[in-house]
Amino acid sequence: MKMLLTSLALVATLPVAPALAAIPELPELRIERGGLDIRVGGVLSGQAAVIDENRAGRARTGTGYDASVRINAEWVTKGGLLFGAYIDQGRISRETEVLQTGEAFGFVSSDFGRLEVGLQDGGNEQLAFRAPILGLGQVRGDFSRYAGTQALLVAPDTGDAFKIVYLSPPVAGFRAGVSWAPKFQRNQRDPDPRDRIILRDAIEIGGNFQQPLGNWVLGVSGGWVTARAAPETGRRGLDA
């Protein structure tokens, strides 16, 4: 049995003056034995502020924290099949980058592709190309309107709803994916049914193509999403 432990780093910021700090990762615990590989990690950050506020009744101090845990377990059989489970849960929620966590699924992978079952992004989302997140997000900027997680030119989908996903292996630069989600809900407890989003039998189909061109890589991706809206919401079905 082999166990590896990375270094620990925690940070606290006192924003009396402007300050920038990356969210540190907690130590990652890794256990390897035979064909079994388990990795457990997490993220934790805390913030505190002293506020110079002259108006009565306003808070003079403020605190907050972000935390998540990530578990990745894999097992390779003698025949070459890869079985595994992935869990990423926490309370990180950034309005600027939309990096919410909330995935938990099992998977099996072979030369014929990969099958996933659980709370996971669908075939459209997984194969869509995205702009990288670098530095303070400068690379995204206005470009996020076209290639970010909330891009105007990316089809709406079912996020991390429970679904079954199949991803094909790459063949001559092409890769395809398809998924089915029995139900996807948002604001389902709103007293006004028209403000709810309830979709059923959501199907996502995605694909991409990548081809090296010298020092560059040409990439094209596309996707289609369809689902039936619940009649009580008065909404049209999803077709994007």
Side-chain angles (χ1 to χ4, degrees):
M1 179 180 292
K2 180 168 62 176
M3 301 181 64
L4 303 176
L5 193 65
T6 61
S7 60
L8 169 66
L10 293 175
V11 84
T13 61
L14 184 65
V16 175
L20 301 174
I23 293 182
E25 290 200 4
L26 296 176
E28 181 183 77
L29 174 65
R30 185 167 186 177
I31 302 174
E32 294 178 282
R33 185 174 185 179
L36 181 64
D37 185 358
I38 300 177
R39 286 171 289 168
V40 181
V43 174
L44 175 65
S45 74
Q47 306 86 38
V50 177
I51 305 169
D52 184 8
E53 177 60 74
N54 294 324
R55 284 183 288 182
R58 293 297 184 95
R60 297 300 179 92
T61 61
T63 60
Y65 73 95
D66 293 325
S68 72
V69 63
R70 181 178 58 253
I71 302 174
N72 191 5
E74 298 179 347
W75 175 58
V76 181
T77 68
K78 295 181 179 180
L81 284 177
L82 174 64
F83 290 88
Y86 179 83
I87 299 173
D88 189 359
Q89 297 289 329
R91 69 174 304 276
I92 295 177
S93 178
R94 302 183 192 174
E95 295 180 0
T96 55
E97 296 292 354
V98 194
L99 296 180
Q100 291 92 343
T101 57
E103 295 187 347
F105 60 92
F107 62 87
V108 58
S109 180
S110 71
D111 294 338
F112 297 100
R114 178 178 170 111
L115 182 67
E116 302 175 349
V117 179
L119 304 177
Q120 167 65 314
D121 294 313
N124 170 63
E125 175 75 14
Q126 291 200 45
L127 297 182
F129 291 132
R130 297 287 189 238
I133 302 176
L134 297 178
L136 304 178
Q138 302 96 325
V139 172
R140 282 202 165 163
D142 291 338
F143 188 59
S144 66
R145 290 169 55 86
Y146 305 101
T149 57
Q150 291 182 318
L152 299 180
L153 299 185
V154 173
D157 55 44
T158 58
D160 290 332
F162 177 86
K163 58 175 64 75
I164 300 173
V165 185
Y166 169 74
L167 301 172
S168 74
V171 178
F174 290 94
R175 195 178 187 196
V178 61
S179 65
W180 171 71
K183 196 172 186 179
F184 172 69
Q185 299 183 127
R186 286 289 184 269
N187 301 325
Q188 64 269 26
R189 297 183 179 179
D190 195 289
D192 187 348
R194 295 171 297 179
D195 291 333
R196 305 171 191 169
I197 297 177
I198 304 176
L199 299 174
R200 295 189 174 93
D201 292 324
I203 297 175
E204 300 182 28
I205 299 176
N208 66 37
F209 170 76
Q210 299 183 64
Q211 181 65 48
L213 295 175
N215 294 327
W216 296 79
V217 175
L218 170 67
V220 179
S221 67
W224 176 63
V225 183
T226 181
R228 295 185 296 108
E232 63 269 22
T233 65
R235 295 177 178 266
R236 297 178 57 185
L238 177 62
D239 190 4

